[in-house]
Amino acid sequence: VFTPAAMKLSGSADLAQLWTRFFSEEAGIVRGEGPRPFVVDLKKNGACWRAAGHVDLSGSGFGWGGVSVILPPEDRVLYFKVAVREGVVDFQSLRWSQGESWAEAKGVYDTRQRQVGRIEVRARDFILDHGIKIRGEDLRHVRGTVSGKLRVDAPQGDVPRSVTGRITAREISLVKGERPVSWKVDLLDARLTGRKISLPVVEVRLGDVPLRIRGTLEGWNGFQGDLKIEGEGLDLSMFSPPGGEPEGEKPGPLLRFLKRSQVGIRAEVKKGRWKGLSFDSLEAGGRFQAGALFIEDLQAQAPHWRLRASGRLGNDSTAEKMISCHVRMEEQPLEDLSLIHI
């Protein structure tokens, strides 16, 4: 009944409509404006179809749960090799390359069970230059480079069974318009085994202030674990828990993930400020839980005062915020106190 056949096609296709036709339950994941050019070699042998070629994804986008990723308007060609047999799509290679920079993904998708199988991702100095829009916010860009190799085992629902591999990211920054925001990841080294993420080193920069983060996280349905943060010259007013969802909207996947997380935090800071008040050292212990930051024991000191505090910072403008403080002062100049703003 089935005889070998081959053909070569070239033209343009609306990727969003094409995706929706084959994967109607995941409509909206692939987004684009108008047809994109492609070239593909098709081969059929028995019940198996094979396709190899390339498609220009420049200006296209991908979205999920209110988060959209928009590719740059040029130089974003995807090279692919795909096999389809009895409802199972084997993505043998999906590869982006730009000079010595490249990224490649492989995976299996069962269209009958609507189930993702294994997924493998590799990258070497892959250049990030992508637009991001979160629930209608202004367009931002994330920039930097990523290298590494990951294997994701078949998920249970939306949660992977396990993730194994290592990721190294450098010079990651988020840019809004023409001005960069206040944070940048100089170096991220993450090692993943099953459900565990080891962070031997994460170097973050808030403005001109360096931070060093170490620790271990576990779980793909909300993080559990502990982090240690060390820094010098910080203005603690820069820190606040993530905001809530807009009124009337269901929580997005990121906020749901954060609400399921519980992470212990230990911080040591030298030479910082808070609400206009300078201090020489600060040590704090607490936890991030259910989208809020709980301060269990904070101690700060300066030449003329010592402070102890505990409390809770909510995760949106309506959540309860309560901080209890005890301050002891000795010969504190009044002119310094006039600089405090609450």
Side-chain angles (χ1 to χ4, degrees), residues 123-342:
R124 184 177 72 183
D125 296 329
F126 182 60
I127 299 173
L128 298 175
D129 186 12
H130 302 84
I132 296 179
K133 186 177 290 187
I134 302 177
R135 293 196 176 274
E137 288 187 7
D138 293 338
L139 184 66
R140 303 165 181 240
H141 276 83
V142 59
R143 294 173 179 167
T145 60
V146 177
S147 299
K149 183 177 181 180
L150 292 178
R151 179 187 174 95
V152 183
D153 288 341
Q156 296 174 308
D158 294 332
V159 181
R161 295 178 186 271
S162 68
V163 181
T164 303
R166 182 176 181 179
I167 295 177
T168 302
R170 298 179 184 276
E171 304 297 322
I172 303 295
S173 63
L174 185 65
V175 179
K176 183 176 182 180
E178 298 298 324
R179 300 179 61 187
V181 296
S182 58
W183 68 265
K184 181 178 181 181
V185 179
D186 290 335
L187 173 63
L188 166 68
D189 183 8
R191 305 174 187 185
L192 302 91
T193 306
R195 292 167 48 84
K196 182 178 292 186
I197 305 174
S198 296
L199 300 171
V201 56
V202 181
E203 295 178 359
V204 179
R205 189 172 295 274
L206 291 173
D208 295 326
V209 179
L211 278 179
R212 188 177 181 89
I213 303 172
R214 295 174 293 175
T216 302
L217 301 173
E218 187 169 352
W220 301 114
N221 194 26
F223 282 140
Q224 311 290 318
D226 294 282
L227 296 176
K228 183 176 182 180
I229 304 173
E230 299 172 306
E232 184 172 353
L234 283 178
D235 185 346
L236 300 183
S237 301
M238 301 174 66
F239 292 91
S240 63
E245 292 289 311
E247 185 176 354
E249 293 193 21
K250 295 181 179 180
L254 177 59
L255 186 59
R256 292 198 301 268
F257 183 90
L258 292 176
K259 284 183 173 292
R260 292 191 293 263
S261 297
Q262 180 172 331
V263 179
I265 299 174
R266 189 73 195 171
E268 296 181 3
V269 179
K270 298 179 180 179
K271 298 292 184 183
R273 295 178 65 83
W274 181 71
K275 299 294 185 180
L277 189 65
S278 298
F279 58 82
D280 290 338
S281 65
L282 179 146
E283 294 185 5
R287 69 188 189 279
F288 180 83
Q289 180 178 345
L293 179 62
F294 293 84
I295 302 171
E296 296 171 351
D297 182 22
L298 181 149
Q299 299 184 45
Q301 62 181 15
H304 299 288
W305 59 266
R306 293 184 179 183
L307 177 146
R308 298 194 66 172
S310 61
R312 176 186 187 275
L313 296 176
N315 61 351
D316 57 45
S317 59
T318 61
E320 178 186 4
K321 300 175 177 67
M322 181 178 296
I323 300 291
S324 174
C325 298
H326 174 78
V327 182
R328 180 176 179 178
M329 295 184 177
E330 294 181 1
E331 299 181 355
Q332 171 67 48
L334 292 178
E335 57 267 26
D336 293 345
L337 297 179
S338 66
L339 300 176
I340 299 176
H341 54 87
I342 303 299

Side-chain angles (χ1 to χ4, degrees), residues 9-153:
L9 302 174
S10 63
S12 298
D14 190 311
L15 301 180
Q17 291 185 8
L18 193 62
W19 177 273
T20 301
R21 175 165 298 190
F22 286 97
F23 308 107
S24 58
E25 293 294 323
E26 290 81 22
I29 289 181
V30 177
R31 304 171 184 177
E33 297 182 2
R36 307 304 306 166
F38 71 89
V39 175
V40 59
D41 288 314
L42 287 175
K43 295 182 180 179
K44 184 174 184 293
N45 191 355
C48 181
W49 283 91
R50 297 183 182 276
H54 61 268
V55 59
D56 185 354
L57 295 179
S58 302
S60 300
F62 305 88
W64 178 65
V67 179
S68 300
V69 177
I70 300 92
L71 299 180
E74 56 188 18
D75 297 330
R76 281 299 181 269
V77 177
L78 170 68
Y79 294 85
F80 59 86
K81 293 181 181 179
V82 181
V84 182
R85 184 183 181 91
E86 297 179 351
V88 177
V89 183
D90 184 0
F91 295 95
Q92 297 173 342
S93 176
L94 303 174
R95 185 181 178 94
W96 292 264
S97 61
Q98 185 176 353
E100 297 297 319
S101 169
W102 58 266
E104 183 179 44
K106 302 178 182 180
V108 176
Y109 181 78
D110 190 329
T111 62
R112 299 162 301 180
Q113 303 293 326
R114 301 196 180 279
Q115 181 68 48
V116 177
R118 57 164 175 81
I119 300 173
E120 296 181 8
V121 181
R122 298 186 303 153
R124 184 177 72 183
D125 296 329
F126 182 60
I127 299 173
L128 298 175
D129 186 12
H130 302 84
I132 296 179
K133 186 177 290 187
I134 302 177
R135 293 196 176 274
E137 288 187 7
D138 293 338
L139 184 66
R140 303 165 181 240
H141 276 83
V142 59
R143 294 173 179 167
T145 60
V146 177
S147 299
K149 183 177 181 180
L150 292 178
R151 179 187 174 95
V152 183
D153 288 341

